[in-house]
């Protein structure tokens, strides 16, 4: 008895060489794709997405402000902030005993705001 073939795959081996060549030429460089991968990985966590959204609308927030906003302990907020800093998405500065975080590039805030507005439509 022959297994039925799925209808969501090609049944013959051919492809549009001109179209494939065009698509390959238009693909972004690997470095750009890697940067996008890093950003989208960071956005895959709801807490980090909230942090980035908050920072897109504020100049900077200290770790305790972020912890209060998320409703978590300072250590948990610090972990998320450190991860985002390690990914080169956030920058920080110390002011005495306080550590403040802000977006390294405002375009990330623009991306987040655009995506969230589109989803809300």
């Amino acid at each position: 008895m022959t297994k039925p073939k799925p209808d969501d795959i090609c049944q013959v081996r051919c492809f549009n060489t001109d179209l494939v060549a065009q698509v390959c030429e238009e693909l972004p460089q690997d470095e750009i794709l890697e940067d996008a991968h890093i950003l989208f990985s960071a956005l895959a966590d709801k807490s980090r997405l909230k942090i980035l959204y908050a920072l897109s609308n504020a100049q900077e927030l200290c770790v305790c402000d972020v912890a209060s906003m998320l409703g978590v302990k300072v250590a948990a907020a610090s972990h998320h902030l450190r991860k985002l800093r390690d990914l080169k998405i956030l920058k920080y500065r110390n002011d005495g005993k306080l550590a403040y975080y802000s977006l390294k590039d405002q375009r990330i805030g623009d991306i987040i705001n655009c995506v969230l507005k589109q989803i809300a439509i």
Side-chain angles (χ1 to χ4, degrees):
M1 185 159 140
T2 309
K3 266 186 163 177
K5 294 184 180 181
D7 56 358
D8 62 344
I9 61 171
C10 293
Q11 300 299 319
V12 294
R13 184 97 172 124
C14 71
F15 58 94
N16 183 333
T17 55
D18 293 337
L19 178 60
V20 171
Q22 177 187 348
V23 169
C24 288
E25 286 178 26
E26 294 172 359
L27 284 173
Q29 295 176 349
D30 283 346
E31 297 82 24
I32 293 171
L33 291 171
E34 180 61 26
D35 288 346
H37 172 76
I38 289 168
L39 176 60
F40 290 129
S41 295
L43 298 178
D45 181 275
K46 194 172 12 174
S47 293
R48 291 194 297 260
L49 182 57
K50 287 179 182 179
I51 291 168
L52 293 172
Y53 178 79
L55 289 173
S56 75
N57 295 309
Q59 295 274 325
E60 61 183 7
L61 293 170
C62 78
V63 177
C64 28
D65 292 335
V66 172
S68 178
M69 176 194 70
L70 295 176
V72 299
K73 294 183 179 183
V74 171
S78 181
H79 170 77
H80 286 299
L81 291 162
R82 193 174 313 110
K83 175 73 172 170
L84 291 166
R85 187 183 77 203
D86 290 347
L87 292 171
K88 299 182 179 21
I89 294 173
L90 297 183
K91 59 184 177 180
Y92 80 105
R93 70 176 181 86
N94 288 322
D95 185 8
K97 294 183 179 185
L98 299 174
Y100 289 93
Y101 284 83
S102 60
L103 292 177
K104 198 168 200 173
D105 186 338
Q106 185 54 43
R107 292 179 297 176
I108 291 173
D110 296 341
I111 291 167
I112 291 167
N113 284 311
C114 179
V115 168
L116 293 175
K117 283 179 187 173
Q118 289 299 315
I119 291 171
I121 292 177

